[in-house]
Amino acid sequence: MCRWLAYRGEETSFDSYVTEPVHSLINQSLRARESAGSTNGDGFGLGWYGIHPEPGLYRETRPAWSDENLRYLCRHLQSHMFFAHVRAATGTAVTRQNCHPFACGRWMFMHNGFIGSWSRLRRKVEAMIPDHLYPSRLGTTDSEAVFLAMMGEGLEHDPIGATQRVMRALSALVDEDGLRERMRFTSALANGHDLYAFRFAHNDTANTLYYRDDGPLVVASEPFDTEQHWSEVPANHVLISRPSRPVEIRPFMPPAAHLPQEPTVAQNVVERA
């Protein structure tokens, strides 16, 4: 599975968090410690906020350990909020368009997880993307499709609610016909000011997610050092970081048996199909 980290704090260069730590993302791309697959060599990406409202992106298909540009970029790029991601593909092509992070307007998103039987469900999930957002669909991953579906559900004004609605829809889809496919969703979402990190799974165990809040906030798939105290984000919770407020950890989704029974996006899609 993929490995990633998100930073929010004072403006700083990326190298102290992405390339220099003893168990940096580059090392994790070769030997992840808390992942079902230890190698994450199917490309990498950086995303950051600067003088423009929309994020900057650099994405490459080469493994992070073999791209000399990554070290130079991390030494010279500076930002108050940035994402870094190393990818382990789960059935889709290794292309730049499929590397994380993804951006739409001022929002940026990256993901570690999968939707079971993606090839079977792809058309239904893509149908959840509104027509006016579909031109932003540049790749073929489930991650990008889910992000754009979240945008269509009102992410701009209600990030947590929009994400919950899409997760309910996906949970219904993977349970269709009694199949109970697995789904994992450990992700980060930002708009240049606010940062959200979700740890959720349906019919499965959620992928790991940690954070430390010792001045700057760092959220990561797994700790990259042993010198700082890291806390685990509980499964089925969301981390929320907003300006001038303490970091919050809130329950994100109740157990599947207690989900509300109102019509979901997925049910509406199925009815239209």
Side-chain angles (χ1 to χ4, degrees), residues 103-146:
C104 184
R106 64 181 182 138
W107 288 91
M108 184 165 62
F109 174 83
M110 62 182 172
H111 179 230
N112 172 26
F114 65 92
I115 299 172
S117 294
W118 170 238
S119 59
R120 177 177 66 86
L121 296 175
R122 175 178 170 178
R123 178 177 172 273
K124 291 181 179 179
V125 176
E126 289 187 332
M128 294 162 59
I129 305 172
D131 289 346
H132 71 280
L133 290 174
Y134 200 83
S136 298
R137 174 71 163 149
L138 303 179
T140 58
T141 64
D142 52 358
S143 304
E144 184 188 42
V146 169

Side-chain angles (χ1 to χ4, degrees), residues 1-73:
M1 304 303 291
C2 307
R3 304 282 86 181
W4 58 255
L5 70 83
Y7 171 94
R8 181 179 185 277
E10 296 296 324
E11 185 170 295
T12 188
S13 59
F14 297 10
D15 52 353
S16 297
Y17 298 92
V18 179
T19 59
E20 290 184 353
V22 62
H23 189 52
S24 68
L25 271 189
I26 291 181
N27 289 333
Q28 291 177 39
S29 69
L30 279 165
R31 290 178 296 276
R33 295 171 179 166
E34 300 192 34
S35 176
S38 62
T39 303
N40 299 275
D42 298 322
F44 68 88
L46 301 173
W48 66 94
Y49 290 91
I51 61 174
H52 301 289
E54 69 276 4
L57 295 179
Y58 178 83
R59 301 184 290 181
E60 182 51 72
T61 58
R62 296 174 65 185
W65 67 76
S66 68
D67 193 309
E68 65 279 7
N69 293 319
L70 179 57
R71 293 187 184 275
Y72 286 111
L73 285 169

Side-chain angles (χ1 to χ4, degrees), residues 216-238:
L217 170 68
V218 184
V219 189
S221 297
E222 58 187 73
F224 52 69
D225 60 34
T226 58
E227 301 172 1
Q228 304 290 337
H229 175 70
W230 293 84
S231 300
E232 188 172 12
V233 177
N236 302 330
H237 280 65
V238 55

